């Protein structure tokens, strides 16, 4: 567990599955909830519970819950490192309420992930994907040093419209401490 000034970051547990399910809201698509083919994925609560109970996932520290000081889970974060020889990882940062991206909790979660990536795992780059509908996430990332690597146009058709998917990156050499 990481006790911050504004939040607690801990390994996500199977009991967090119902809360994690809330970020898979089809009315509010997120790049972090798309599958490998960048298509919408709607796991059941039981599937998420099983994922969070997987010992291999826990050993890697795959998913973390971000709690406020009252103990309520406000979001989730993750760092999926690729093969060691490529030296980059993919970051996920998902809050139930996008307004939390403007809070100190988001800054603490990002600092935790940056430390995990650049210090603990010695990666050289973190990448993040966000749909064009995730303006608050994109603004938060850019304000914290992430730069656009480009936009894949019309990658997701949902709710009667196409969504673009932007990839942003942060290099260890550009990271704020």
């Amino acid at each position: 567990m990481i006790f911050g000034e504004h939040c607690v970051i801990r390994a996500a547990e199977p009991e967090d599955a119902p809360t994690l399910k809330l970020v898979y809201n089809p009315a509010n698509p997120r790049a972090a909830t798309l599958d490998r083919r960048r298509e919408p994925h709607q796991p059941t609560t039981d599937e998420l519970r099983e994922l969070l109970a997987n010992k291999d996932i826990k050993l890697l520290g795959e998913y973390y819950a971000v709690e406020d000081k009252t103990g309520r889970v406000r979001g989730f974060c993750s760092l999926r490192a690729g093969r060691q020889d490529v030296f980059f990882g993919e970051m996920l940062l998902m809050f139930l309420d996008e307004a939390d991206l403007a809070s100190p909790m988001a800054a603490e979660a990002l600092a935790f992930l940056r430390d995990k990536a650049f210090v603990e795992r010695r990666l050289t780059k973190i990448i993040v994907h966000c749909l064009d509908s995730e303006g608050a996430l994109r603004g938060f990332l850019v304000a914290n040093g992430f730069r656009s690597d480009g936009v894949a146009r019309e990658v997701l058709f949902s709710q009667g419209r196409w969504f673009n998917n932007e990839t942003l990156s942060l290099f260890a050499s550009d990271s704020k401490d």
Side-chain angles (χ1 to χ4, degrees):
M1 256 188 225
I2 305 297
F3 294 93
E5 186 177 339
H6 303 282
C7 68
V8 174
I9 300 170
R10 60 169 176 78
E13 297 290 335
E15 296 78 30
D16 295 319
T19 307
L20 179 57
K21 175 87 169 111
L22 297 174
V23 301
Y24 286 88
N25 181 353
N28 183 23
R30 302 168 189 248
T33 62
L34 302 178
D35 66 14
R36 293 185 189 272
R37 297 179 310 242
R38 298 289 180 219
E39 294 179 0
H41 182 61
Q42 289 294 307
T44 66
T45 303
D46 287 339
E47 289 171 333
L48 292 171
R49 189 175 287 114
E50 186 176 320
L51 170 80
L52 295 174
N54 184 323
K55 290 181 182 174
D56 292 334
I57 295 296
K58 284 183 127 182
L59 289 175
L60 296 172
E62 185 70 23
Y63 280 94
Y64 296 94
V66 180
E67 296 179 346
D68 62 18
K69 286 301 197 173
T70 68
R72 193 172 118 223
V73 175
R74 303 293 293 264
F76 296 88
C77 62
S78 175
L79 179 67
R80 294 190 287 212
R83 297 184 336 251
Q84 192 63 23
D85 60 334
V86 295
F87 296 106
F88 76 91
E90 182 178 1
M91 182 183 91
L92 308 176
L93 188 59
M94 306 174 291
F95 282 94
L96 300 174
D97 182 353
E98 73 175 21
D100 284 339
L101 288 163
S103 76
M105 286 187 304
E108 287 183 2
L110 178 59
F112 166 75
L113 293 171
R114 273 197 328 251
D115 184 64
K116 184 161 272 315
F118 299 139
V119 177
E120 186 178 313
R121 295 189 183 168
R122 297 185 179 173
L123 302 176
T124 58
K125 178 170 100 169
I126 303 170
I127 62 170
V128 182
H129 300 281
C130 62
L131 298 176
D132 53 5
S133 60
E134 296 179 277
L137 175 60
R138 186 189 188 285
F140 172 77
L141 295 170
V142 169
N144 284 280
F146 284 79
R147 295 185 186 150
S148 179
D149 289 334
V151 176
R153 304 277 179 215
E154 300 182 346
V155 297
L156 171 66
F157 188 79
S158 180
Q159 303 170 26
R161 77 174 192 96
W162 286 99
F163 290 84
N164 298 329
N165 186 28
E166 185 172 14
T167 302
L168 297 107
S169 65
L170 177 68
F171 287 88
S173 58
D174 296 334
S175 179
K176 298 177 187 177
D177 290 318

